[in-house]
Amino acid sequence: MTDIVISGANGRMGKMIYSCISEREDCRVVGGIDIFTESYADFPIVSKPSELTVKPDVIIDFSNPALLDDLLSYSLTTGIPVVFATTGYSDEQISKIKAAAEQVPVFFSWNMSMGINLLVELSKKAAAFLGDQFDIEIIEKHHNQKLDAPSGTALMLANGINETFNNEKQYVYDRHSQRRKREKKEIGIHAVRGGTIVGEHEIIFAGKDEVITLSHSAASRTVFAVGSINAAVFIKGKPAGMYDMSDVLREI
């Protein structure tokens, strides 16, 4: 049994994670962290990690980048692993997460969907096979309430592809101010915001007289909740280090 604390417990994702955990037998929620401390189930919710009265096996964080320092401090003090599923981290914050992973187990992924992480692996294989003969463009679509653009998932896809080119590719986010031909070393990344789109990601490999498209569409946020729970169960008892969904996929 994995005892889990949900950071962002009163948010939309926090409540969805609780709902999904309630249907499982391998884990349970023992506490929550949220600026709004009103409880809706049989576990207490506190405003910051240091106020927790229970010691969980893992914390799942679906809150806000502003809480990162408090979560890292608590994790480093107690040795409790954290699954970071929040998006919008700065480069400085990502560096802090990587530094913490040298002392405690840390699970970090821009996207908790198993399907998206499979898409990453497929896109890397496609890029390695097609090489520089095909231009690569990434299109991501999300709801009109999403704050960051491009999405962390789009960057995760781009970074995975770029690894196959020894990180020689350059990311181009907007072309409206550029009056020049597309260069071979570019990966175009485009963001669409509208309505209630949960999340759609498309990778276009455009070559001479043919186009190959890899895509993933999330019908609901449940896929992200389930992925984060699988990550929490996976990381329990692991040694210090940085883990991601590729580690989970290898164990399936």
Side-chain angles (χ1 to χ4, degrees):
M1 179 68 70
T2 301
D3 289 343
I4 296 173
V5 160
I6 303 172
S7 176
N10 266 313
R12 183 187 304 177
M13 283 304 304
K15 291 182 177 179
M16 186 169 291
I17 290 170
Y18 169 72
S19 177
C20 292
I21 290 176
S22 298
E23 299 175 357
R24 297 176 60 142
E25 297 182 355
D26 59 346
C27 54
R28 62 185 177 185
V29 180
V30 296
I33 304 167
D34 201 291
I35 190 172
F36 302 106
T37 57
E38 182 179 354
S39 183
Y40 53 86
D42 58 348
F43 62 88
I45 299 177
V46 297
S47 62
K48 50 189 177 181
S50 60
E51 296 176 351
L52 288 170
T53 57
V54 293
K55 186 175 181 180
D57 295 313
V58 185
I59 295 176
I60 297 177
D61 177 47
F62 252 114
S63 59
N64 187 288
L67 192 60
L68 178 65
D69 287 345
D70 285 346
L71 285 170
L72 288 179
S73 177
Y74 179 81
S75 178
L76 290 169
T77 301
T78 61
I80 294 173
V82 181
V83 174
F84 288 106
T86 300
T87 61
Y89 288 119
S90 66
D91 290 341
E92 180 183 358
Q93 288 176 313
I94 294 173
S95 295
K96 289 181 179 180
I97 293 172
K98 291 179 178 178
E102 297 177 2
Q103 302 180 54
V104 293
V106 170
F107 194 103
F108 178 76
S109 177
W110 290 113
N111 192 301
M112 288 292 165
S113 160
M114 301 290 277
I116 276 290
N117 284 274
L118 177 59
L119 181 64
V120 172
E121 298 304 316
L122 292 174
S123 64
K124 289 164 67 173
K125 290 182 181 297
F129 182 81
L130 299 172
D132 280 330
Q133 299 180 60
F134 284 67
D135 296 324
I136 304 170
E137 298 282 313
I138 297 172
I139 302 172
E140 57 97 344
K141 304 174 186 178
H142 285 87
H143 54 86
N144 58 22
Q145 300 301 301
K146 186 171 178 62
L147 300 179
D148 55 314
S151 68
T153 302
L155 292 174
M156 180 173 73
L157 290 165
N159 291 341
I161 292 170
N162 206 5
E163 287 176 8
T164 68
F165 295 102
N166 298 314
N167 294 312
E168 295 177 352
K169 295 288 187 180
Q170 299 175 345
Y171 302 163
V172 175
Y173 301 103
D174 195 352
R175 300 189 189 279
H176 80 279
S177 61
Q178 302 181 32
R179 296 187 61 81
R180 60 176 174 80
K181 293 181 179 180
R182 189 188 196 283
E183 297 180 359
K184 276 291 183 183
K185 289 189 178 295
E186 292 183 5
I187 294 180
I189 304 177
H190 314 278
V192 175
R193 296 290 176 267
T196 57
I197 301 172
V198 174
E200 297 180 11
H201 293 84
E202 183 178 12
I203 307 165
I204 299 171
F205 295 89
K208 181 175 176 58
D209 299 330
E210 61 180 335
V211 175
I212 300 167
T213 301
L214 300 175
S215 65
H216 175 273
S217 178
S220 80
R221 291 176 175 82
T222 304
V223 295
F224 311 126
V226 171
S228 69
I229 298 166
N230 290 338
V233 172
F234 164 84
I235 203 172
K236 176 186 177 182
K238 291 290 190 296
M242 180 75 85
Y243 300 89
D244 60 28
M245 198 59 74
S246 64
D247 298 302
V248 178
L249 290 173
R250 278 193 288 268
E251 285 204 355
I252 295 177

